[in-house]
Structures are given as C-alpha cells and as structure tokens.
Amino acid sequence: TPRPQAVCCKDHEHCCPWGYTCNVVAQSCEKRRPREPPAPTPLQGARSVPAAPVPCDTAHACPSGQKCCAGPHGSWGCCPFAEGSCCSDGRHCCPAGSLCALGSCRPLRWDVA
C-alpha cells in the first residue's frame, strides 16, 4: 500500500512511513527518535558572469555543480546542490530527493511522479 513520504527498505519489497526505519530482519518498521527534517539551505548569490558553467540568464550564472534558483524581484541565487530543488521563497533550496515544505526539506514521495 502506498505510504506518504515513505522510506524504501533495502529489501526492495517493503517501505515504512516517514519517521520510521526499516528492520528488514524483523520485517517491521521501527519508530525513530523524534527529529525535525533538515532546514532548507540558503542560496548563494549568482555571479554576474554569463560565461560561468551554469547560466541563470544572460547576465547571471552559478558555479559548476550548482543550480540556479529564481529569487525575489528578478534576482538569482545558487543552490549548492546540482540536483536540488528551489524553494518557493526564492531564498532557499533542498538537496536532491527532497522538496521544501513548511520550512523544512521533506523527502520526495515515492508514490507521486
């Protein structure tokens, strides 16, 4: 059964809901200690160099291995994660495999494309 924000187990057959870890030997999900999801990472300023490896627009770019994120009022920021996701606030981003949600980086749901 699909579970929101599920964590896939190493046996590739089972999953556990967010906040639980897989115990493959016991074939069970065990509750993790309470822990807040990681906070989004602040964006770094985009450079005014159009020839940089990752162009944002004709006048701004980010270093190789980073991602351009549109900021407020037409500005640009650089996310240090090449495959990261830009937050809607235009000031933060989350690592690959997660999305910004309610001020934290939440894992992507495996059951949603």
Side-chain angles (χ1 to χ4, degrees):
T1 302
R3 296 176 186 261
Q5 299 177 337
V7 176
C8 294
C9 300
K10 290 181 181 179
D11 67 1
H12 302 289
E13 293 181 27
H14 299 93
C15 63
C16 292
W18 174 257
Y20 288 76
T21 57
C22 301
N23 183 333
V24 177
V25 174
Q27 294 186 347
S28 65
C29 298
E30 297 176 356
K31 190 164 182 70
R32 290 189 306 206
R33 283 188 236 131
R35 184 183 81 149
E36 289 296 315
T41 301
L43 299 177
Q44 302 163 0
R47 298 178 183 172
S48 295
V49 182
V54 182
C56 302
D57 63 11
T58 58
H60 298 90
C62 292
S64 180
Q66 296 191 4
K67 178 178 184 169
C68 291
C69 292
H73 311 294
S75 65
W76 289 95
C78 298
C79 177
F81 314 110
E83 299 296 322
S85 60
C86 303
C87 299
S88 61
D89 67 1
R91 299 176 193 271
H92 298 88
C93 68
C94 289
S98 63
L99 294 172
C100 297
L102 304 172
S104 63
C105 295
R106 301 281 180 166
L108 289 173
R109 289 176 47 176
W110 61 272
D111 60 337
V112 177

